[in-house]
Amino acid sequence: MSAQATRIREGEIAKPVREITPLSLQVHELAMKCTRQLHDLSVSRYPAMKGGADNLARLAGACAQISLAATLCNLAIHHRTEILLSQDADPTPATSREQLRRAGDEMQRAATIYRAVARQLSRRLASVSERAEDRQLISDARRHHPQQAPATSPVPATRRRV
């Protein structure tokens, strides 16, 4: 999506609804998926795992970055279409290009966070001793807060790529 934002930004941006809206919709859909994933992880055994709560906080930040990118795409559309409604609007696509650049930057930062969390989880799952440590932490969490640690697995949700 970042490459698509760059391609659009470098173009003429003459038809903002047709050129920018598909990207905006994709980023909004991604933001919803990430938020759903964050929720699913928060009600799974993941928070009980070592580093799980910290990673959830990092993923919440990534969700916010993706949502911001979606908003920036919408602002890029708005600033390009504003010229049709207002005589004192910026006649150049500079503002829209800047918003698309910022949207791409936010997507890159979010992707970096997701990759780091996924690598950390993969390492933990690959280590027999760390898996045993997580099983113990989950077991302890179930004893102390049984309703907060259901038996769902966090693994498939954390392997999605941004």
Side-chain angles (χ1 to χ4, degrees), residues 2-148:
S2 294
Q4 187 177 357
T6 299
R7 182 188 52 75
I8 293 167
R9 186 178 78 238
E10 291 171 352
E12 290 299 313
I13 314 179
K15 298 171 184 79
V17 175
R18 182 171 55 189
E19 295 172 345
I20 304 172
T21 300
L23 173 65
S24 180
L25 290 171
Q26 288 175 349
V27 179
H28 277 284
E29 288 171 7
L30 180 60
M32 290 300 298
K33 287 179 184 177
C34 291
T35 302
R36 197 170 302 114
Q37 178 187 45
L38 180 66
H39 171 265
D40 292 347
L41 286 172
S42 74
V43 297
S44 73
R45 296 180 288 179
Y46 189 70
M49 294 171 65
K50 184 174 181 179
D54 291 337
N55 285 339
L56 278 176
R58 293 173 65 201
L59 292 173
C63 285
Q65 289 171 311
I66 295 168
S67 293
L68 175 57
T71 299
L72 288 166
C73 289
N74 282 350
L75 284 171
I77 294 167
H78 168 73
H79 282 101
R80 286 309 298 145
T81 56
E82 183 180 41
I83 194 165
L84 301 172
L85 304 173
S86 176
Q87 290 180 349
D88 62 344
D90 181 3
T92 69
T95 303
S96 292
R97 284 191 172 121
E98 175 60 17
Q99 289 160 336
L100 289 172
R101 184 198 61 74
R102 288 181 55 210
D105 291 349
E106 293 298 330
M107 292 294 294
Q108 288 299 324
R109 282 193 276 278
T112 299
I113 291 169
Y114 268 90
R115 279 191 295 273
V117 170
R119 272 193 307 271
Q120 182 181 14
L121 181 59
S122 292
R123 279 193 297 266
R124 286 200 69 72
L125 292 174
S127 167
V128 174
S129 63
E130 289 181 4
R131 278 197 323 261
E133 179 185 18
D134 285 337
R135 277 194 297 275
Q136 184 61 48
L137 291 168
I138 290 166
S139 178
D140 292 347
R142 281 187 177 155
R143 274 195 300 273
H144 294 97
H145 307 287
Q147 70 276 21
Q148 293 181 357

